[in-house]
Amino acid sequence: KPNATKSAKKWYQSFFIGDQGTQYFIKPLQLEGDSSEYLNLDLTFKLNKIIMDSAGMNVSFFSNNLFKNIDSLKVVNSNYAYTVLNFNYMFAERNKRQFNCRFSTKIPLEALAKLYKQNNWTFIAYANGHAKKYVATKKTRKKIALLNQEIFELY
């Protein structure tokens, strides 16, 4: 009986968009913070024969504190670090005991591809003079590795 191979197909959607290539939507990946706080990250980008310049990145912070701005977000793996500076506030809502504070930004696809080469992601969010650290869960690290194999290594 052959070994079962894992696939990342359930963690992303792809759409053929003609001359513009293929558009990808990577479903939310979770990174854990202190206590019960965490963030979810989803991405949208286009790939063609020529790699497009940036990806849309949406980040939802599930926190005990309400905040409506982020000064910066440092995204790190063992070989690469990238700092995102410009965030657009989308909304905040209460989910049970926590707030969901949602933001959007752009990240260069080159930076994103370098991040996917290693799956041990750490995000450090700076807001209102405080820094909060979030790390990829074991499940998220597996997803990152599979997404890298199926999407980013091809380009």
Side-chain angles (χ1 to χ4, degrees), residues 66-82:
L66 174 66
F67 56 97
K68 295 184 177 181
N69 68 323
I70 299 176
D71 301 324
S72 64
L73 179 68
K74 187 173 185 179
V75 185
V76 181
N77 68 24
S78 56
N79 295 329
Y80 184 72
Y82 184 81

Side-chain angles (χ1 to χ4, degrees), residues 61-111:
F61 293 91
F62 293 86
S63 173
N64 297 326
N65 301 310
L66 174 66
F67 56 97
K68 295 184 177 181
N69 68 323
I70 299 176
D71 301 324
S72 64
L73 179 68
K74 187 173 185 179
V75 185
V76 181
N77 68 24
S78 56
N79 295 329
Y80 184 72
Y82 184 81
T83 301
V84 183
L85 297 172
N86 298 314
F87 282 89
N88 297 314
Y89 171 76
M90 295 174 71
F91 64 85
E93 64 184 6
R94 185 180 285 279
N95 282 346
K96 297 179 184 173
R97 294 183 187 166
Q98 292 183 313
F99 294 100
N100 173 5
C101 304
R102 185 129 167 112
F103 299 86
S104 68
T105 190
K106 296 273 187 198
I107 183 170
L109 268 177
E110 181 181 338

Side-chain angles (χ1 to χ4, degrees), residues 2 11 39 60 79-80 90 105 121 130 133 139 147 155:
W11 297 308
L39 72 77
S60 288
N79 295 329
Y80 184 72
M90 295 174 71
T105 190
W121 290 4
H130 294 59
K133 183 177 176 180
K139 187 176 181 179
L147 288 163
Y155 294 90

Side-chain angles (χ1 to χ4, degrees), residues 24-54:
Y24 291 90
F25 170 69
I26 296 180
K27 295 176 182 178
L29 300 171
Q30 185 169 319
L31 285 84
E32 293 180 337
D34 295 336
S35 62
S36 63
E37 295 188 3
Y38 62 97
L39 72 77
N40 282 343
L41 160 80
D42 61 79
L43 300 157
T44 304
F45 55 91
K46 295 176 188 172
L47 293 177
N48 199 345
K49 293 174 190 165
I50 324 168
I51 295 177
M52 301 302 173
D53 64 341
S54 64

Side-chain angles (χ1 to χ4, degrees), residues 8 26 112-119 142-155:
I26 296 180
L112 193 59
K114 288 179 182 178
L115 288 168
Y116 267 90
K117 288 184 188 292
Q118 298 290 324
N119 65 356
K142 288 179 183 179
K143 290 178 184 180
I144 292 167
L146 288 171
L147 288 163
N148 183 53
Q149 280 182 335
E150 289 191 25
I151 299 172
F152 293 99
E153 283 184 357
L154 300 176
Y155 294 90

